[in-house]
Amino acid sequence: MYGKMNILFYPKKSERNDDGMVMLYARITINGKRGEFSLGRRIDEQRWDSRGGKLRGTTTEVSNFNRFLDNVKNRLFDIYDALLKEREDISAIIIKNIYLGKERKEYMLLEIFQEHNDEIESLLGKGFTKGTLQRYKAAYKHVSAYIEHGYHRNDIPIRRVDHKFITGLVFFLKSKRNCEHNTAVKYVINFKKIIRIAYANEWISKDPFFHWKAKWQTKEKSYLSQSELDALSEKKSFLPRLELVRDIFVFCCYTGLAYVDVKQLKSKHIVIGINGDRWIKMPRNKTKTMSSIPLLPPAEEIINKYREHPYVKDGKGVLPVLTNQKSNAYLKEIADLCGIQKNLTTHLARHTFATTVTLSNGVSISTVSKMLGHRSLKTTQIYAKVLDGKIADEMEQLKQKIRPSGVIGSKDTGSDEF
């Protein structure tokens, strides 16, 4: 809400010259905050009318001076009205600077966003990953497209970002960029960091995200059943490129590793565990939390299968992993060949490990959490909820098969009385 502006002219007694003349100042007050500046004129303090805010007298010189004061006041109110009309930020300092001709630096949204991304790129490997950079670059492209679509400009001042801009961005991401709800929210959260940077640096006077809250839609995690996993593992006659991707996917199903982690898996990460078997011990790329995963036989078989691969022999990794983009594209072909009606992605393998391979076979949720490298047990409990849903669905089907017998609670009215 914009406050009322008050203007006061006053002689500054501390700035008296040898002739006894004092410098006249203007003071702007808005919402209790002041902006003061010298008018560059000296007056005889004895002739100053503090109540009227002008010089006393009837001479032409006095009239001209008072007219000058009226012009200053009118100019200040014109600036205030213009800012109010344009719905710009208003403060005593802003009005003072505009009057004095001091241009405000206009901080542009996409310029700030690009500077942020450049900083992250320069710090890759020093607290930031390529995945983080890619997410912010994608968010930048979406915000840039939204500005061009909704504002018909290449960039806008960051002070123009308001609640309407944010909600409009969410709608644009869903309707024009075909983002799912949670994906759109993730991009907006990335964008939110840029606004927080501007707010912290006082480039904007208020946080437009104050009344916006991220609302996530609960989405059931997809995973392969044991029969689907077996069908995938046992399928023969794949093309070499598909067989490799299938094997990496199955390996992730039996280890729970995310794509980026299996890509970075080195021989140093495979150690002898407490039980004498081989374990994977490595920090998750995403959370830096240590994962401790005993190698199950199917995973060991896949490691042995590619032991002589040039990529492995050169020490580049334990497995010759393709790019995530290629892997996901090939997984769609693999699903069709195996008759699997699910959208196979590299991350679905992680869900399969949590549900089908471990929790469904009685592995405790705390153990699964440790293997997955989750920081909180609450994250792992999502998979338990998925299993509960599966139980509920299957029991509902069972209920349809088992009808009430009519025995419990019934009375045999035809029996003899004792």
Side-chain angles (χ1 to χ4, degrees), residues 224-239 242-243 245-247 249-250 330-342 344:
L224 294 185
S225 65
Q226 188 61 57
S227 60
E228 290 171 327
L229 179 55
D230 290 341
L232 184 68
S233 303
E234 296 165 6
K235 177 71 175 178
K236 306 295 182 183
S237 67
F238 274 129
L239 293 173
L242 297 183
E243 184 176 357
V245 172
R246 185 275 306 273
D247 290 344
F249 179 85
V250 172
Y330 293 162
L331 282 171
K332 288 175 174 54
E333 290 186 54
I334 292 169
D336 290 338
L337 290 171
C338 295
I340 296 174
Q341 304 298 315
K342 293 175 181 175
L344 287 194

Side-chain angles (χ1 to χ4, degrees), residues 26-159:
R27 176 186 294 160
I28 305 166
T29 306
I30 300 176
N31 293 329
K33 295 185 178 181
R34 298 175 174 179
E36 299 180 340
F37 60 94
S38 169
L39 292 175
R41 305 286 184 92
R42 293 185 180 273
I43 61 169
D44 180 356
E45 188 179 356
Q46 300 300 319
R47 299 177 63 186
W48 180 250
D49 179 3
S50 58
R51 185 182 294 272
K54 61 183 180 179
L55 286 177
R56 286 189 290 265
T58 58
T59 65
T60 301
E61 181 183 2
V62 169
S63 296
N64 288 339
F65 190 87
N66 288 337
R67 190 177 300 111
F68 160 73
L69 295 180
D70 288 338
N71 289 335
V72 171
K73 184 177 290 187
N74 290 336
R75 171 62 180 146
L76 292 173
F77 275 111
D78 286 344
I79 294 170
Y80 176 87
D81 290 340
L83 292 174
L84 191 64
K85 183 177 180 180
E86 295 296 324
R87 300 182 67 183
E88 301 279 4
D89 293 337
I90 295 179
S91 72
I93 297 299
I94 289 173
I95 292 176
K96 163 193 160 182
N97 288 338
I98 293 176
Y99 176 84
L100 295 176
K102 296 180 180 179
E103 295 184 5
R104 292 183 294 163
K105 177 175 173 55
E106 194 72 276
Y107 293 94
M108 304 301 287
L109 171 57
L110 293 179
E111 285 183 10
I112 298 171
F113 209 147
Q114 185 60 55
E115 287 176 8
H116 167 269
N117 290 357
D118 291 342
E119 287 180 5
I120 288 183
E121 190 163 13
S122 68
L123 294 172
L124 287 178
K126 301 175 182 177
F128 294 97
T129 65
K130 288 184 179 180
T132 300
L133 176 61
Q134 288 172 354
R135 286 195 297 274
Y136 278 109
K137 281 186 173 181
Y140 174 94
K141 289 181 180 179
H142 286 312
V143 173
S144 177
Y146 172 56
I147 291 172
E148 186 174 347
H149 173 80
Y151 295 80
H152 308 292
R153 296 180 61 177
N154 294 326
D155 202 353
I156 62 170
I158 198 164
R159 58 182 170 77

Side-chain angles (χ1 to χ4, degrees), residues 26 50 97 122 135 173 207 213 298 300 331 380 382:
S50 58
N97 288 338
S122 68
R135 286 195 297 274
L173 290 171
D207 181 4
K213 185 177 181 181
E300 284 278 23
L331 282 171
T380 320
I382 295 171

